[in-house]
Amino acid sequence: MIGLISLGLSAIAGAAITQTHLYAPQADVLLITAQDGPILLSSTTIESGILVLDYGANVEGIPSFEVLSATGDTTVFEITYSESKAGLDLYTGDGPIPLAAAMDTYRVNRYNTVSPGQFINRHVQGAFRYQKLNLSSPGELTLQNVGVIPTTRTTSINMLPGSFKSSDTTITDIWAVGARTIQLTEIPKDSIPEFWKITSEGALIDSLAPQANGAPVAVTSTAYNLDFKVKPLIGGFGFSVLSDTLNSAIYMSVDVGARTIAAYMGSTTENTELARATVPSNVTLALGSWHSVHVEVAMTDIAISINGELVLKFTQYSKFYGSYGLGASFGHKAVFRDLVATDPVGTITYQHPLNDKSCLKDFLLGTNPLDVSVDGSRRDRIAYAGDLDIAGSAALVSTHGLEFVEGTLSLFASMQATPGFFIPTVKIQQKLLSTPLDVNTTGLIGYSWNLLTAVSQTYMHTGDLALALEWAPKIVRMLDWSHSQTLSNGLFNLSDATFGGDWNYYDPAQSGVVTKFNVLYAYALQETVGLLADVGVNISVYQDRLTALRAAIDKHLWSDELGAYVYSEGIRDGFGQDSNAIAILAGVNLDPSHSSETILSTLSRELSTPKGPLAFSSGVLQHGFQRYISPYASAYHLRAAFTSQNSTAARELLDSLWAPMTDTNNANYSGCFWETLDESGRPAFGVHTSLCHGWSAGPTAELSRFVLGAQPTKPGWVEWAVSPQTLGLTSAQGEVPTPFGTLSVSWKFCGTLLTMSVETPAGTTGLVNVPYPLLVPVTQSKFIVNGSVVNGTTLRVKGGSKVTIMQSRK
């Protein structure tokens, strides 16, 4: 029997042929399904047999189904995948996804279902809520156990180590949806199948986008030659040149039947076409035969020869340097061998016969060696340094996926460049590097400071001195580089605009004095000094730098006219949501007139919409920025609101932005939080928007930290504090996992009076504070703790005990 998990709406509580393995039905295989019982598909010559399966919420894993019977022509059966129902209107669903080899490139799979048996895909399909089954050849199929073998953990949300419930079911759902988002973006080690199938003949590639060779010499090359042999089996073959590490490239696709070769700006034939030619009649081109391919790349000029004859030569101005890769367009399948790359003078820079698995590491095509946390379950299944401050904090209070947080930190620890900053994105198949990267460039510079904050947050949770010792020199190097870039006025200055992208990659990159980068630097200084002190680093210099930086930001980047910190020295007529929220968190608002309440009031007044806050004010939007709503930027806004004890601002954010994403009647409900929203509250990039994005799960962390109120005050939860904020709720309860065990908090108002209990793990001590605000003021109250009247509203508690507090009127 196959173990079935039927999800439906209770999920939160609980051409070429796609490469598959055909088996007799297997026992003891966990399978998530959307529908029980047999499925009958019947197709005619004029009408396809179509059925849409709705899992109720996102799932992910390796697709599988059983054919019970097949009659007539059943050779063209396809399954399309999408997080949203709108994606099913497109043949390719909400794909393709060519960025990495961590999942199938295409969101439509084709099968030749001519006989009974079990079909199991080779590759993972990232998050999807819907499957469209489509039999388009005239015949009849009977299927059963159509579903997905999960490759992430399937623990029910109500069984996770962390928990949260409140008197408001919407607030409870927000916590749970964030937890499910985290669960689907935690990728267990060794769970990603090898991308290519290596045979004795060579690398068999079936409907997969090329993945770039990751060697520095390849990634930075402007001119080189490629030679390889290829045997197209179905359709044709493809390859890319001038590719960046996320496979934005010049992609060539050869169609053997049509005898054409076409070039595209991207990595699939779905991208913009740049050039096309018919293969000359004197060139032998046939399926099942080996062909020699020669490619010459000279920056903008590209020439391709097949079997010694020139078939395409063109000039393009989209890409000027980059690596190379091998692939096959959708519906194409080919075997490649004997790949050789040479520089313009003929020196070999890469060579491999492609008939053993040692080539997989060169193109990051193997499995993932570490437990990792990724950006999104579907897009992007890549580790991002900037995500962990939000996603990691949510994980620590819900899934308690420490192995995923620490695995991701280990990955980035090995990706520090010699100056001190970090590479912001890493494919999860990357093995740890033993020495710093000898490069002097990066992108998304803000993510390097985000990463330091995430490290400190993880250390505060675990108290792991080995982690602190490993990271301390890396933190020092990044902080010292940051200081080396400060101006005489004390502000950090980014001289190279190529460093200056941020989470809003679609907006103009910034350079010079940018408030976001300055407050991130300050926040990283503030959060890391404790870790550094614990491992013996003299922190006085970093404390002095933090003091000076705070003062410089407050003096030079505040605008009385805006009532906020300006976006940058170059854009002083507008401001950013996240930069002002982080300014509060980093304590840079030293002037009493620049108070947290003033900033939060400005953000609410100028950015709020019925669907959530805009990420930038109108003054910034006038400079070409998009009018989008960012759950990532809003996560810092929410953290700042709670830190400032501003329940009005916190509740406004939760109700306007996150609550609609938890509504099962929302047309784009996925059971997870979305990447970015437009002004109308819909996914900002249409079907290409990730509807399961770890950076959007901020409320899960903040509700546990502030509404349950449980936070460590010394590393490893040796000491802690419970200080709940009521947020207008009448009750909240939950559990927070710690290294010593679970810390449980429950509080409720019976009428207008408080009852509260806290159960604490042995080996710890902490402070318990009554929630704020109370319905009956402290001055009119007395408090009974475990049956005895006490003075005050703060209790020192020894771990391993239960404390019950009851409020009564004096």
Side-chain angles (χ1 to χ4, degrees), residues 248-423:
S248 176
I250 305 300
Y251 174 62
M252 268 66 67
S253 180
V254 175
D255 188 317
V256 173
R259 294 188 63 83
T260 59
I261 179 170
Y264 302 85
M265 174 54 224
S267 49
T268 74
T269 57
E270 297 290 311
N271 301 120
T272 302
E273 186 175 303
L274 301 175
R276 174 177 289 270
T278 299
V279 176
S281 58
N282 64 322
V283 176
T284 300
L285 190 62
L287 298 177
S289 299
W290 285 100
H291 304 77
S292 296
V293 178
H294 176 74
V295 187
E296 296 179 5
V297 178
M299 193 175 288
T300 57
D301 298 325
I302 300 170
I304 301 104
S305 299
I306 298 177
N307 297 335
E309 299 290 339
L310 182 68
V311 296
L312 180 64
K313 185 176 183 179
F314 65 102
T315 300
Q316 54 80 38
Y317 298 100
S318 300
K319 303 286 289 186
F320 303 99
Y321 65 93
S323 187
Y324 47 85
L326 305 173
S329 299
F330 181 75
H332 290 189
K333 182 177 181 180
V335 182
F336 295 82
R337 74 182 190 201
D338 299 335
L339 173 63
V340 180
T342 57
D343 66 17
V345 298
T347 303
I348 294 175
T349 57
Y350 182 79
Q351 184 173 20
H352 203 287
L354 305 182
N355 60 3
D356 69 70
K357 293 184 178 183
S358 63
C359 64
L360 296 178
K361 68 181 186 303
D362 303 326
F363 297 85
L364 297 180
L365 303 173
T367 192
N368 52 310
L370 299 170
D371 298 299
V372 287
S373 174
V374 296
D375 193 38
S377 174
R378 173 179 66 93
R379 210 225 78 233
D380 309 333
R381 284 174 81 89
I382 296 170
Y384 279 74
D387 290 16
L388 274 184
D389 187 26
I390 302 300
S393 61
L396 294 179
V397 302
S398 59
T399 65
H400 205 228
L402 266 176
E403 63 270 44
F404 301 99
V405 174
E406 292 175 339
T408 310
L409 290 178
S410 293
L411 196 56
F412 281 109
S414 76
M415 300 301 289
Q416 188 172 30
T418 48
F421 44 72
F422 294 83
I423 305 303

Side-chain angles (χ1 to χ4, degrees), residues 404-693:
F404 301 99
V405 174
E406 292 175 339
T408 310
L409 290 178
S410 293
L411 196 56
F412 281 109
S414 76
M415 300 301 289
Q416 188 172 30
T418 48
F421 44 72
F422 294 83
I423 305 303
T425 64
V426 185
K427 295 182 179 181
I428 63 176
Q429 294 91 339
Q430 176 70 56
K431 293 184 177 180
L432 300 184
L433 303 181
S434 58
T435 58
L437 288 167
D438 188 18
V439 297
N440 196 31
T441 185
T442 191
L444 307 176
I445 187 60
Y447 282 18
S448 287
W449 293 300
N450 289 133
L451 181 63
L452 300 194
T453 306
V455 172
S456 298
Q457 160 191 278
T458 306
Y459 171 64
M460 195 66 180
H461 180 83
T462 64
D464 183 357
L465 278 174
L467 176 76
L469 286 165
E470 176 191 9
W471 273 93
K474 300 177 186 298
I475 292 170
V476 164
R477 195 181 310 151
M478 175 60 193
L479 295 180
D480 288 351
W481 174 83
S482 304
H483 181 68
S484 74
Q485 306 300 305
T486 56
L487 302 173
S488 58
N489 63 4
L491 293 173
F492 174 85
N493 179 73
L494 187 66
S495 58
D496 189 342
T498 62
F499 284 39
D502 204 359
W503 57 265
N504 51 322
Y505 59 89
Y506 39 79
D507 286 329
Q510 299 297 305
S511 59
V513 174
V514 180
T515 298
K516 171 71 178 291
F517 300 149
N518 275 270
V519 295
L520 278 176
Y521 174 27
Y523 196 28
L525 277 166
Q526 171 186 285
E527 297 300 298
T528 56
V529 289
L531 180 154
L532 295 177
D534 284 354
V535 295
V537 175
N538 183 350
I539 62 172
S540 60
V541 64
Y542 300 105
Q543 291 174 318
D544 290 346
R545 290 175 185 175
L546 175 58
T547 299
L549 181 60
R550 283 171 170 163
I553 294 170
D554 203 36
K555 177 180 179 181
H556 297 291
L557 297 177
W558 176 264
S559 168
D560 286 330
E561 182 180 352
L562 294 174
Y565 294 96
V566 299
Y567 183 78
S568 67
E569 285 283 19
I571 301 178
R572 297 195 66 90
D573 54 350
F575 60 87
Q577 175 194 21
D578 57 352
S579 55
N580 277 272
I582 296 167
I584 293 172
L585 296 170
V588 306
N589 51 331
L590 302 173
D591 189 316
S593 66
H594 308 165
S595 68
S596 299
E597 291 307 309
T598 296
I599 296 170
L600 291 170
S601 177
T602 298
L603 297 184
S604 179
R605 182 180 65 251
E606 300 297 329
L607 301 181
S608 292
T609 79
K611 303 300 182 180
L614 297 174
F616 301 104
S617 72
S618 58
V620 177
L621 298 178
Q622 293 172 5
H623 293 269
F625 287 63
Q626 295 298 313
R627 195 175 178 85
Y628 287 157
I629 296 165
S630 169
Y632 179 65
S634 295
Y636 287 106
H637 189 169
L638 181 66
R639 188 182 292 179
F642 272 124
T643 299
S644 305
Q645 293 191 325
N646 189 322
S647 60
T648 301
R651 193 61 192 254
E652 179 184 352
L653 288 162
L654 292 166
D655 290 343
S656 64
L657 172 55
W658 279 285
M661 288 188 278
T662 71
D663 183 356
T664 57
N665 294 315
N666 190 311
N668 294 291
Y669 175 78
S670 66
C672 300
F673 286 134
W674 314 343
E675 171 191 12
T676 308
L677 291 76
D678 65 18
E679 193 176 10
S680 67
R682 293 190 293 263
F685 317 120
V687 300
H688 300 295
T689 311
S690 167
L691 301 186
C692 182
H693 228 64

Side-chain angles (χ1 to χ4, degrees), residues 753 774-783 807-810:
L753 297 175
L774 296 171
L775 299 180
V776 175
V778 171
T779 55
Q780 301 174 23
S781 304
K782 63 179 179 180
F783 296 94
Q807 180 189 23
S808 63
R809 292 181 182 271
K810 287 184 176 178

Side-chain angles (χ1 to χ4, degrees), residues 166-175 651 654-655 658-660 662:
S166 77
S167 57
D168 188 322
T169 56
T170 299
I171 299 298
T172 300
D173 288 345
I174 289 173
W175 188 95
R651 193 61 192 254
L654 292 166
D655 290 343
W658 279 285
T662 71

Side-chain angles (χ1 to χ4, degrees), residues 733-758:
Q733 65 184 69
E735 298 181 330
V736 177
T738 82
F740 289 91
T742 299
L743 193 158
S744 301
V745 178
S746 175
W747 60 262
K748 65 179 178 179
F749 291 108
C750 301
T752 58
L753 297 175
L754 171 75
T755 298
M756 179 180 182
S757 66
V758 179

